[in-house]
Amino acid sequence: MKTPLVESLVGWATLGFFILWIMEFRRTQFQESYWLLMLSLSCLLGFQYLRYRRGAVPLLDKYDPKKEVKPKPTVKPSLKKKK
């Protein structure tokens, strides 16, 4: 399988296990549901590892306000005639 597909599957598994943990935590105590939280965190770390290995750049890193090009001011023609 290609990396983006595996990356998506692991990301959705992270979200699914986290939702299951929330539902199980509301029903029982933390001691009985912590394994779902650990499973969710391990999937999250796997997702981050796959993104790092692929070389994906976070969206906020693409935006750099220092590199913006400011428009140059236009030069107004002088009213005085040169002699």
Side-chain angles (χ1 to χ4, degrees):
M1 286 195 275
K2 294 186 177 183
T3 304
L5 177 62
V6 174
E7 195 176 292
S8 296
L9 290 175
V10 173
W12 284 109
T14 301
L15 184 64
F17 285 130
F18 186 71
I19 291 171
L20 281 175
W21 174 74
I22 291 173
M23 294 172 67
E24 190 71 17
F25 181 70
R26 291 178 63 199
R27 189 176 72 88
T28 62
Q29 296 178 355
F30 181 76
Q31 291 88 3
E32 297 170 359
S33 65
Y34 79 95
W35 64 275
L36 280 168
L37 181 63
M38 294 298 118
L39 195 56
S40 175
L41 287 175
S42 64
C43 286
L44 180 65
L45 290 175
F47 174 75
Q48 293 292 355
Y49 172 73
L50 289 174
R51 283 180 52 93
Y52 178 74
R53 190 178 71 180
R54 184 169 58 105
V57 178
L59 291 176
L60 292 177
D61 285 349
K62 291 180 182 178
Y63 176 73
D64 190 9
K66 295 177 185 175
K67 292 183 180 179
E68 287 183 6
V69 178
K70 295 182 180 178
K72 295 180 180 178
T74 57
V75 178
K76 295 181 181 180
S78 62
L79 298 175
K80 297 179 183 178
K81 291 185 180 179
K82 294 184 179 180
K83 293 184 181 179

